[in-house]
């Protein structure tokens, strides 16, 4: 059984390693050259052929030049043409030379169809033109062709030795001139005092503020509490007397006659002070 498995593994491995690859070129920064006539950079001839020739690529590669555009200039019609070419070709492995600004957009369009057809598509390019001395073009193209047999069916972005298999989680870092993986875990989530992620519930959204109890001190403008002194027994008695018309003197309450006229106590002996009782 082990010999049979090893035999079929060798046959399949040799078939994959010798299988032909379709290379579709669309332009991008990798193919840009300086034009003396326009004094600007324009997309020139595809550079992937020269890169693979210098690298002595051992695979059989078939080239198809679809357009010479910056990736920002690619339209939906261009991407539909790329998808149609990938579907109709006989090759199961495809490399697309693409500009860096919209690589993930093209990969998102191709991914579902390539999974259905069991085809592997790798999209790559360069941050600097291949004509530059410090260009990353040769490294990225070599990585794309080297990783191609080992990837699952779908559309992958291979750049700077990294493989991005989910087009929705790719971002271009302009400062570092590279691509980075973005996931939902990178998004900060609200946490409570213990550091546990707290998700607001429907009850929290509909929660109404509590009514203040009777014991809650009133507040004034500015949110500060208003301190109201609590009346004592003496002040309460004094206020009650004054409410009935009674008045207080230095020696105590007035006598019964004056108190009755002013609304004071009728029986002076009950509410009089010890001083008044002594005078009697």
């Amino acid at each position: 059984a082990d010999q049979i498995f090893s035999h079929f593994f060798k046959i399949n491995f040799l078939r994959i390693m010798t299988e032909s690859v379709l290379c579709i070129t669309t332009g991008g920064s990798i193919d840009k050259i300086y034009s003396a006539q326009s004094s600007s950079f324009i997309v020139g001839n595809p550079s992937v052929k020269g890169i693979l020739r210098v690298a002595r690529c051992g695979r059989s590669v078939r080239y198809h030049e679809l357009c010479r555009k910056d990736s920002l200039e690619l339209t939906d019609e261009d991407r539909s043409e790329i998808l149609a070419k990938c579907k109709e070709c006989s090759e199961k492995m495809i490399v697309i030379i693409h500009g860096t600004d919209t690589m993930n957009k093209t990969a998102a369009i191709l991914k579902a169809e390539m999974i259905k057809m069991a085809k592997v598509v790798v999209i790559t390019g360069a941050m600097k033109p291949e004509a530059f001395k410090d260009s990353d073009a040769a490294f990225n193209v070599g990585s794309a062709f080297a990783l191609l047999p080992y990837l699952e069916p779908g559309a992958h972005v291979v750049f700077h030795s990294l493989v991005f298999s989910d087009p929705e989680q790719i971002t271009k870092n302009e400062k570092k001139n590279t691509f980075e993986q973005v996931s939902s875990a990178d998004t900060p989530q609200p946490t409570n005092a213990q550091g546990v992620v707290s998700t607001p519930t429907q009850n929290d959204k509909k929660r109404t503020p509590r009514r203040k109890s009777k014991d809650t001190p009133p507040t004034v403008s500015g949110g500060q509490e208003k301190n109201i002194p609590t009346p004592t027994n003496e002040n309460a008695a004094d206020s009650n007397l004054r409410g009935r018309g009674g008045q207080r003197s230095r020696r105590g309450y007035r006598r019964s006659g004056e108190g009755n006229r002013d609304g004071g106590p009728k029986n002076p002996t009950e509410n009089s002070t010890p001083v008044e009782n002594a005078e009697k």
Side-chain angles (χ1 to χ4, degrees):
D2 293 340
Q3 293 180 354
I4 296 175
F5 175 78
S6 177
H7 175 70
F8 280 102
F9 176 78
K10 290 181 180 179
I11 294 177
N12 191 38
F13 180 77
L14 292 174
R15 181 185 62 81
I16 292 176
M17 296 305 295
T18 58
E19 190 174 348
S20 177
V21 178
L22 173 64
C23 182
I24 301 175
T25 61
T26 63
S29 299
I30 188 173
D31 293 337
K32 285 187 175 181
I33 58 174
Y34 182 77
S35 174
Q37 296 178 353
S38 60
S39 299
S40 61
F41 284 92
I42 61 173
V43 180
N45 295 327
S47 59
V48 63
K49 294 182 179 180
I51 293 174
L52 294 179
R53 182 176 64 252
V54 173
R56 296 177 176 85
C57 179
R59 286 187 173 277
S60 174
V61 181
R62 183 169 69 93
Y63 299 95
H64 174 76
E65 184 177 349
L66 189 136
C67 61
R68 296 183 182 183
K69 291 183 178 181
D70 188 279
S71 63
L72 294 175
E73 300 174 354
L74 290 176
T75 62
D76 294 338
E77 289 75 14
D78 294 330
R79 291 186 172 86
S80 298
E81 189 175 351
I82 295 174
L83 176 59
K85 189 65 180 177
C86 293
K87 291 173 66 175
E88 70 183 19
C89 70
S90 59
E91 289 85 357
K92 293 293 184 179
M93 295 184 293
I94 305 167
V95 174
I96 300 176
I97 306 300
H98 200 286
T100 57
D101 289 316
T102 59
M103 276 184 177
N104 56 338
K105 188 174 181 179
T106 302
I109 294 176
L110 300 176
K111 182 178 179 179
E113 292 295 330
M114 296 302 101
I115 293 176
K116 291 180 182 179
M117 302 185 67
K119 291 187 177 184
V120 180
V121 174
V122 170
I123 304 176
T124 191
M127 291 292 181
K128 293 184 178 181
E130 187 272 337
F132 284 20
K133 183 178 180 180
D134 57 346
S135 174
D136 54 341
F139 181 80
N140 291 334
V141 171
S143 300
F145 277 86
L147 294 173
L148 192 60
Y150 306 103
L151 297 177
E152 297 292 332
H156 313 270
V157 173
V158 174
F159 216 88
H160 292 167
S161 73
L162 299 176
V163 179
F164 304 93
S165 300
D166 189 352
E168 303 297 332
Q169 297 183 354
I170 306 174
T171 182
K172 182 180 178 181
N173 192 322
E174 299 287 350
K175 295 182 179 180
K176 296 181 180 180
N177 281 334
T178 188
F179 285 94
E180 294 177 345
Q181 188 84 14
V182 177
S183 61
S184 57
D186 298 331
T187 304
Q189 299 181 4
T191 57
N192 55 19
Q194 288 74 25
V196 181
V197 177
S198 57
T199 305
T201 61
Q202 197 69 16
N203 296 332
D204 296 337
K205 298 179 181 179
K206 296 182 178 180
R207 182 177 296 174
T208 57
R210 295 181 179 179
R211 295 182 59 184
K212 294 183 178 180
S213 61
K214 297 181 179 179
D215 298 335
T216 304
T219 57
V220 297
S221 59
Q224 299 179 354
E225 295 183 356
K226 183 178 180 181
N227 295 325
I228 301 178
T230 304
T232 60
N233 294 335
E234 182 180 356
N235 294 336
D238 189 23
S239 61
N240 292 336
L241 289 175
R242 291 183 182 180
R244 297 197 303 267
Q247 297 181 1
R248 236 180 137 172
S249 63
R250 294 181 180 179
R251 298 178 57 188
Y253 298 121
R254 293 187 178 183
R255 295 185 180 275
S256 61
E258 296 176 357
N260 292 336
R261 287 197 305 268
D262 297 338
K266 295 181 180 180
N267 190 356
T269 59
E270 294 180 0
N271 297 327
S272 59
T273 60
V275 176
E276 293 176 349
N277 294 332
E279 290 179 356
K280 292 179 182 181

